[in-house]
Amino acid sequence: MTEILEPNAQGLRSAAAILGRGGLVALPTETVYGLAGDATNDSAVAAIYQAKGRPSFNPLIVHVADASVAEGLVTVSPMAQRLADAFWPGPLTLVLPLRPDAGVSPLVTAGLSTLAVRVPEHPVAQGLLQVFGGGLAAPSANPSGRVSAVTADHVMTGLAGRIDAVLDGGPCRVGVESTIVGFDGDRAVILREGGVPAEALAEVLGHDPDRRKEAGAITAPGQLASHYAPGGAVRINATKAQPGEVFVGFGPMECDLNLSETGDLAEAAANLFRHFHQLDAEGAARIAVAPVPEQGLGRAINDRLRRAAAPRDS
Ligand code: TXA
Ligand code: MG
C-alpha cells in the first residue's frame, strides 16, 4: 500500500518518520518528483534501486536543505561555490569530490569518488529536508527508463505498491530534471542539460561550460540510451503527423497536443512529461513531435526527446 500524504505539517512528519525507519517517500521538487530514501541507510538506498528497477551502476543525487549541509558531504571548489550561490535553491546539481567522512551509503555513488548534490527550491521538498534533518538520496520517481513523474498521480501510476508514500505537492513547475554540472580542473562540464540553461551557467562562470556525456548514459556516438520514454514509439523533428501518429506540436500549428502554443520554452518543459503521461494513459502507439529550438530550456527538452526516440531493447 502506498499512502498519499498531504503537504502539511502532519504529512511532513509522517514522511520524515517513514524515511527515518528506512522507508521510501516520493516528494515533489520544482523539477520532477523524486523517490527519496535516507542517503546514509544502505537498505533504504538499495530499496530505491529495487523500486525503480534501476541498474545499480547509475549513481543517485543527494538532496540537502542548503549549501551548508552540502559542505559536510562534498568539497566545494570556488567555481562550484559561485554556481551554488547563483542557482541554489533551484534546478542545479553539482558533482563534487565526496568527503571521506560524509557518511553517505556507497550505494548512492555506485562506488564513485564524487557525489551529486542538489538543494531543491520546492517548499514541500525544503520542508521535508528540514524536518528530516539529513540528506535524501532521490532519483526521479519513475520506473527506470520511463517518463519522469511531474504529478503525484504519475508517481502512483508507475510506483504504487512499491513505495511507502507520496507527498502530493501538485504539478512540478519546471518539468524537466536538474542540470547536472561536474568539474574538470578549471572547467565546468555539463553532464546533463536541465532546468538551468547553459546560457545562464555561462553568465555566472564567465566561460561556456563544456559538454560531456553523463556517466553510463551514452557509450558510443549514435547509441543514445533509451530513456525518459513513453510507451509509444517517438519520432522527433516532425513537421506533420503521418497516418496513425499522434502529433505533439510546438508553437502555433495544427496538432493533437501542444507543448506551447506561443512557443514558450518554459511552458513546453513543464508540459513535456505531462503530455507523455497523458499519451501513455490514452495508449498512444506512435507519437510525432514537432521541432523545438536548441536554445535555453530547449536543450534539455531536445535531450529528453532524443532519448525518448532512441532505439529500445526488445
Ligand atoms: O531534477 C532532478 O535532478 C531529479 C530530482 C528528483 O532531483 N533527479 C533526477 O535523478 O533526475 P536521476 O537519478 O533520475 O538522475 C540523476 C543522474 C543520473 O543520470 C546519474 O548518472 C547522474 O545523475 N549522477 C549521479 N551521481 C553522479 C556522479 N557522481 N557523477 C556523474 N553523474 C552522476
Ligand atoms: Mg531519471
Side-chain angles (χ1 to χ4, degrees):
M1 262 293 287
T2 299
E3 196 181 348
I4 298 182
L5 300 171
E6 296 293 316
N8 52 28
Q10 195 194 328
L12 293 178
R13 274 197 306 274
S14 304
I18 292 168
L19 292 165
R21 54 174 188 266
L24 303 186
V25 177
L27 85 166
T29 80
E30 68 277 18
T31 57
V32 300
Y33 275 70
L35 176 55
D38 179 352
T40 66
N41 181 328
D42 288 334
S43 61
V45 178
I48 293 174
Y49 285 117
Q50 193 173 31
K52 280 183 66 90
R54 170 182 250 190
S56 55
F57 48 77
N58 206 352
L60 306 178
I61 297 172
V62 172
H63 298 66
V64 293
D66 57 42
S68 71
V69 183
E71 278 162 25
L73 303 179
V74 290
T75 311
V76 184
S77 64
M79 190 186 295
Q81 188 67 53
R82 291 216 307 278
L83 293 178
D85 290 344
F87 299 109
W88 280 353
L92 176 70
T93 294
L94 297 175
V95 174
L96 293 165
L98 176 67
R99 284 188 188 280
D101 58 351
V104 169
S105 165
L107 290 174
V108 168
T109 55
L112 297 175
S113 60
T114 52
L115 178 70
V117 284
R118 138 163 155 80
V119 177
E121 172 232 277
H122 196 292
V124 177
Q126 272 292 327
L128 181 59
L129 286 166
Q130 271 152 33
V131 177
F132 179 69
L136 290 174
S140 51
N142 52 278
S144 188
R146 302 307 296 268
V147 178
S148 301
V150 292
T151 66
D153 258 12
H154 298 158
V155 176
M156 290 300 278
T157 302
L159 298 173
R162 311 179 69 161
I163 63 177
D164 297 291
V166 183
L167 264 169
D168 187 351
C172 301
R173 175 177 62 80
V174 177
V176 291
E177 292 80 355
S178 60
T179 300
I180 303 180
V181 174
F183 300 90
D184 183 2
D186 58 357
R187 307 282 304 172
V189 183
I190 295 182
L191 302 176
R192 179 181 70 187
E193 308 274 356
V196 175
E199 293 88 335
L201 293 172
E203 231 169 83
V204 172
L205 291 166
H207 67 258
D208 278 336
D210 296 338
R211 284 198 171 67
R212 189 80 39 85
K213 283 141 198 160
E214 182 180 352
I218 303 166
T219 50
Q223 282 193 324
L224 283 172
S226 169
H227 209 96
Y228 308 100
V234 176
R235 184 168 69 88
I236 55 178
N237 295 319
T239 47
K240 65 178 187 1
Q242 289 167 359
E245 283 181 334
V246 177
F247 189 42
V248 178
F250 176 83
M253 60 179 69
E254 285 276 316
C255 55
D256 301 293
L257 282 172
N258 203 319
L259 291 169
S260 170
E261 275 175 36
T262 58
D264 179 85
L265 289 166
E267 183 183 25
N271 278 331
L272 178 67
F273 292 149
R274 214 156 58 84
H275 284 358
F276 277 176
H277 278 283
Q278 183 182 328
L279 293 171
D280 271 356
E282 292 167 1
R286 293 172 57 210
I287 303 162
V289 187
V292 174
E294 183 73 7
Q295 64 187 50
L297 283 173
R299 298 175 193 276
I301 295 171
N302 283 322
D303 170 74
R304 305 306 185 267
L305 286 172
R306 281 191 292 269
R307 296 190 205 213
R312 304 177 189 177
D313 299 339
S314 75

